[in-house]
Amino acid sequence: MLQRLVDRHPEVPADQLVAQMVPPPMFDEVSFASYIPDPAEPSQAAAVRTAADFADQVNRIFKGNNKKGLFGKKKTAQGAGLYLDGGFGVGKTHLLASIFHSAPAPKSFGTFGELTNLVGALGFVNAVERLSANSLLCIDEFELDDPGDTTMVSRLLTELSAAGVSIAATSNTLPSQLGEGRFAAQDFLREIKKLGSIFNPVRVDGPDYRHRDLPPAPEPTSSDELVERATATAGATLDNFDDLLKHLSTLHPSKYGALINGISSVYIDGVHTVFDQAVALRIVVLADRLYDAGIPVTVSGAKLDEIFSTEMLDGGYRKKYLRAISRLLALSRFEAAV
């Protein structure tokens, strides 16, 4: 009998949120050596060298902070900061995961959304206490969507850095430009400058590797074919698009990873363009979790690159939506090749 995501109601205890902050499975074995720089993009080779040097710095700081001086524990050295800025699919997450693998435990790796979810689940003080023992905190896809998140993350990173935790992040926007064009409040701008001072920004240029030399996204299948293919795929789920969107609204985004745990492939019937911002942002989180887990996606209805309306793609969350499209297309191509 076919499984449905809408029948799953995962529970994730708050104390497991820190333990599960590790790189996605597809980045379990990556290293600086396995990153292949594009010869046409010299910034990539330079970024690999800088990231490797940063990893060495993380180790030195952590080792130094855990040494006791002649008269007891010496003053804690501030953590280092590295910010990898670049477009979609240029290998920033590969480099971030390589930094993570090179650092001593304890350490944490998560997306910006996962970090804010962690703080929401544990509470600010508890989150600081749990993360302050880290040698490193890696934040993938650093984004600022509202002043509240900005203030909270700024406080969190400032306290962790002072506690000796080094911080590495990736984004598609330089730290000094995060939130640009969306918020004009003076408090917000002040927090942005504070965040920018934590990081040493490094640019990683190049085309999206997920789409290099690849054909356009596969055409959606018919509903009948979708059911047939889902039925023939062990461990797959088959859901109606609207039913799935409704189910996502009942789950905290921190549970989306558990929602798809153990699934081999996801089949979605009746995909159409979404016009509601809240619904679209849930799709973004689900797309991130599917991509992290490397789960193929096949749909009927509209093409995956038509899932967000033109108005949304022209709005303040444009980069989120473009990233989600990029990742969904990669997953749909993967399924087509299987």
Side-chain angles (χ1 to χ4, degrees), residues 130-276:
R130 288 172 181 254
L131 294 175
S132 61
N134 278 14
S135 69
L136 174 71
L137 172 62
C138 293
I139 309 171
D140 202 17
E141 301 296 350
F142 203 110
E143 297 171 352
L144 298 176
D145 298 326
D146 63 64
D149 278 351
T150 306
T151 303
M152 182 273 290
V153 171
S154 178
R155 277 186 60 209
L156 178 70
L157 299 190
T158 299
E159 293 198 23
L160 292 179
S161 180
V165 180
S166 294
I167 301 163
T170 73
S171 185
N172 308 303
T173 308
L174 286 168
S176 61
Q177 298 172 327
L178 285 165
E180 195 172 78
R182 272 185 266 168
F183 308 108
Q186 288 305 115
D187 287 347
F188 180 83
L189 296 175
R190 184 166 55 250
E191 295 297 339
I192 288 297
K193 290 179 181 177
K194 190 186 300 182
L195 280 174
S197 68
I198 293 174
F199 298 106
N200 169 35
V202 174
R203 182 73 186 175
V204 189
D205 294 308
D208 188 337
Y209 78 89
R210 291 186 286 267
H211 306 301
R212 290 176 198 161
D213 304 317
L214 290 174
E219 289 290 328
T221 67
S222 67
S223 292
D224 289 342
E225 184 182 352
L226 192 77
V227 173
E228 183 180 337
R229 291 167 68 176
T231 303
T233 305
T237 58
L238 173 64
D239 290 87
N240 172 269
F241 187 55
D242 286 326
D243 290 345
L244 179 58
L245 296 182
K246 184 178 179 181
H247 186 55
L248 291 179
S249 71
T250 69
L251 299 174
H252 190 277
S254 65
K255 297 180 179 180
Y256 287 11
L259 177 69
I260 61 172
N261 186 41
I263 299 300
S264 66
S265 296
V266 167
Y267 293 83
I268 306 173
D269 188 30
V271 168
H272 59 77
T273 302
V274 169
F275 296 90
D276 184 280

Side-chain angles (χ1 to χ4, degrees), residues 257-322:
L259 177 69
I260 61 172
N261 186 41
I263 299 300
S264 66
S265 296
V266 167
Y267 293 83
I268 306 173
D269 188 30
V271 168
H272 59 77
T273 302
V274 169
F275 296 90
D276 184 280
Q277 193 95 264
V279 174
L281 290 172
R282 292 186 197 111
I283 294 173
V284 169
V285 178
L286 180 62
D288 286 343
R289 299 292 78 78
L290 289 167
Y291 185 76
D292 288 346
I295 297 176
V297 174
T298 310
V299 304
S300 71
K303 291 183 179 181
L304 285 169
D305 55 4
E306 299 171 352
I307 201 167
F308 304 115
S309 70
T310 302
E311 291 77 14
M312 288 186 181
L313 292 176
D314 290 337
Y317 296 106
R318 172 180 172 80
K319 289 183 178 179
K320 281 187 181 232
Y321 298 140
L322 290 177

